[in-house]
Amino acid sequence: MFRVLVADSIEAEGLAALREAGLEVDARAGLDEAALCEAIANADAVLVRSRTKITARSIDAARRLRVITRAGIGVDTVDVAAATRRGILVTNVPDASTTTTAELAVALLLALARHVAQADRNIRSGKYDRARFLGTEICGKTLGIIGLGKIGRIVADRALGLKMRVLAFDPFLPQDAPPIPGVALVDKDALLTHSDFLTLHCPLVDATRHLQRNDARELQTWGSIGERGAWRNRRRARVSRRRSARGRSPAPRSMSQKSSRSPPTPSCARSIR
């Protein structure tokens, strides 16, 4: 019988589906490398998620392994070169958690705009400083997206649905990529200058390392709600507050009102409407 080693935790329904397909399932999550080498020795296939790493050592210990499956996006937990040398097929699930991740990014964006985490801590401490946590509307604001892959495109679609303007920067986007109506492609400097909020959706590889610099100038401009998710442009927020103090609302006009002025578009923008 074809034996599958499930080396990371998956839902019971997933294990049941494998068994119903006539496979022998050996579910052992949390193995260290030595234990993994022992468990993988008699497996025909191994399934992992994000925690367990399939290294060259564990691949060499596999006597009859034919398939390595990463139940997620990417194959960064698998030594693909070592598997290739052994003629072992490496597969993944490229659309896994794509929508979920994009929706989480939008949730973090809203939390950043409305100071949700700070207000929660304030309330739990027995205070109610309501005026400190009014936040800002995202309607009419500009979202900058670095990385316009599957997740980035879903984020752009959701942002457009929330009546945001969307700019995107992706140096690896092919010229024949399918367009997203309402999204303008710009260079990175223009994106950082014209965006009110920023979100990153690209893998950490040599080509993208240090793509977003952490120098003093950028740290003074962008405030984040964590290592991942969304950043807010503090400089543009200060401009909005000054406009409000002068009696000019930074919020956009109603969709039913006509405006004689349209928001500025970066001169380097390449519309893909």
Side-chain angles (χ1 to χ4, degrees), residues 89-239:
L89 180 66
V90 178
T91 67
N92 68 334
V93 186
D95 292 326
S97 302
T98 298
T99 299
T100 299
T101 304
E103 289 180 353
L104 176 59
V106 174
L108 293 173
L109 169 64
L110 291 167
L112 174 62
R114 292 297 184 176
H115 308 302
V116 172
Q118 297 91 329
D120 175 73
R121 288 195 296 268
N122 184 261
I123 289 290
R124 291 176 184 274
S125 68
K127 302 176 184 178
Y128 184 51
D129 301 326
R130 180 174 179 271
R132 291 177 54 194
F133 306 113
L134 291 178
T136 184
E137 292 183 357
I138 64 170
C139 179
K141 299 297 194 301
T142 300
L143 176 63
I145 301 176
I146 295 181
L148 206 57
K150 293 182 178 180
I151 295 173
R153 285 172 172 262
I154 295 175
V155 171
D157 176 75
R158 302 301 188 267
L160 291 169
L162 292 168
K163 307 302 180 186
M164 298 187 78
R165 294 185 287 267
V166 179
L167 304 178
F169 166 71
D170 191 332
F172 308 107
L173 190 69
Q175 291 293 323
D176 59 350
I180 304 177
V183 179
L185 294 178
V186 299
D187 61 39
K188 191 181 75 165
D189 289 338
L191 182 136
L192 295 177
T193 299
H194 293 276
S195 297
D196 296 293
F197 296 92
L198 176 67
T199 181
L200 278 68
H201 298 284
C202 51
L204 180 59
V205 295
D206 290 341
T208 60
R209 192 178 299 276
H210 305 306
L211 186 64
Q212 170 68 1
R213 301 188 308 274
N214 285 328
D215 58 39
R217 183 177 180 181
E218 286 195 0
L219 288 175
Q220 290 171 2
T221 301
W222 292 93
S224 74
I225 58 171
E227 295 180 0
R228 302 177 67 179
W231 284 260
R232 186 177 181 196
N233 191 327
R234 292 188 179 124
R235 184 177 299 154
R236 287 176 64 88
R238 287 195 294 270
V239 170

